[in-house]
Amino acid sequence: MSGGSFILRRLGREVANLLWPAQCLVCGKARDELDGGVCITCWGRLLAAPAVERPKTIDRLAVGYSYDDTLRAIIHRFKFEQAPGLARPLAEHFRDRLEQMGFIFLEPIFVPVPAHPARRRERGYNPSALLAKELAALLDLPYRPDIAARVKHTAHQSSLPDGERKRTLKDVFRVAAPDEKTPESARLVLVDDVVHTGRTIGQLAKTARKAGWKQIDAICLCA
Ligand SMILES: [Zn+2]
C-alpha cells in the first residue's frame, strides 16, 4: 500500500469515529472506553471456567474462563475476523485471572499450541501464539514458539467421531528436545486459547514428554 492511501484510509477512519462513536463488538453499544474493541462492562462479564479433566500427560492444568457468549464473541473476532490486536487485552485479563487462581509459574518456558503452517498462512497468524507471546511479555518470561510444530493438518476435532479423533491426532506434533538454552529442569507451559476435550493439548504434552521434557503444565484461556 502506498503512504498516501494509508493516510487517506486512516483519515477516513478517524472521520468515521467522530461521526459514529465506536461500538463494543460484543454488546454493540456505543462506548467511549473500549479495550481491543470491547467495552469495560463486557470485559467485566467474563466468568470462571467449568471444571476440565486434566489429561494425564499434563502436570498442572489451569483454565481461565468459561467459553460463554461474551467470550465466544471476543474469541470469534480474535480468531476468525483478523483482529490480532485482541491478543493484548485477552492476555492481560488472563494474567490477572491466573493470579487470582493462585497459579504460580515455576521456571517456565511458554510454548503455544502450534498451528499448521497452511492454517497460519490462511489466517495470517496463530491466535494461541499471539496470546502466549503477549502473556510472556507481560510476565517477562521466556517465549519459545520454535519448540513445537504441527506437522499434520487436522480437521476440526469437534467435527470428528471419537475413534477418528485419536487416530488423526497421532503424529500431529513435533517437539524439540531440551538443550543448553532450554534445560531439562525448565517446565514447558503449553498455551492454548480454547480447550474442548483436552485431547489436542494432551497429545502435544505427550509428544513433549517423548522428546525428553519432564515437567509440563498447560494454561488455556477458556473452556
Ligand atoms: Zn460491550
Side-chain angles (χ1 to χ4, degrees):
M1 199 191 330
S2 76
S5 72
F6 174 74
I7 289 167
L8 269 182
R9 267 179 49 153
R10 221 179 129 162
L11 201 67
R13 210 159 45 222
E14 275 171 26
V15 169
N17 282 345
L18 278 176
L19 293 174
W20 305 283
Q23 292 173 331
C24 167
L25 64 87
V26 179
C27 65
K29 293 189 182 139
R31 305 280 194 183
D32 292 335
E33 223 184 326
L34 296 178
D35 189 5
V38 178
C39 76
I40 308 302
T41 310
C42 285
W43 279 120
R45 278 204 196 105
L46 302 188
L47 298 172
V52 178
E53 197 184 334
R54 177 177 56 82
K56 288 187 188 70
T57 48
I58 292 171
D59 297 314
R60 299 188 303 162
L61 171 69
V63 183
Y65 296 105
S66 163
Y67 190 49
D68 65 352
D69 291 347
T70 304
L71 201 47
R72 188 172 290 123
I74 297 172
I75 298 261
H76 195 274
R77 181 66 66 102
F78 176 46
K79 291 181 79 153
F80 305 111
E81 294 175 30
Q82 292 299 312
L86 272 166
R88 185 74 184 195
L90 281 171
E92 285 170 353
H93 286 275
F94 194 19
R95 172 201 55 191
D96 296 348
R97 178 80 191 120
L98 288 167
E99 202 182 296
Q100 275 172 16
M101 291 165 71
F103 191 86
I104 293 172
F105 291 105
L106 310 158
E107 221 188 307
I109 299 176
F110 281 55
V111 177
V113 172
H116 189 271
R119 187 162 285 169
R120 201 171 51 225
R121 261 197 309 277
E122 190 183 298
R123 189 174 281 163
Y125 56 96
N126 170 9
S128 295
L130 286 188
L131 185 68
K133 187 180 177 182
E134 291 290 351
L135 195 61
L138 286 168
L139 296 164
D140 198 20
L141 293 170
Y143 167 66
R144 288 290 304 276
D146 54 305
I147 286 179
R150 190 184 288 250
V151 289
K152 210 163 83 180
H153 200 32
T154 49
H156 258 292
Q157 287 297 300
S158 46
S159 64
L160 296 173
D162 233 39
E164 195 119 330
R165 284 187 198 175
K166 270 193 190 141
R167 204 166 50 242
T168 57
L169 275 174
K170 207 174 161 276
D171 306 321
V172 161
F173 299 109
R174 198 174 50 217
V175 176
D179 58 25
E180 329 68 81
K181 263 170 52 194
T182 51
E184 234 182 50
S185 62
R187 293 184 86 92
L188 287 192
V189 176
L190 308 176
V191 184
D192 207 356
D193 48 8
V194 188
V195 62
H196 296 290
T197 59
R199 281 198 189 90
T200 305
I201 204 156
Q203 181 66 34
L204 176 58
K206 189 175 172 184
T207 310
R209 284 200 191 275
K210 277 191 192 150
W213 296 95
K214 302 266 190 298
Q215 308 182 85
I216 302 170
D217 294 337
I219 55 172
C220 305
L221 179 66
C222 60

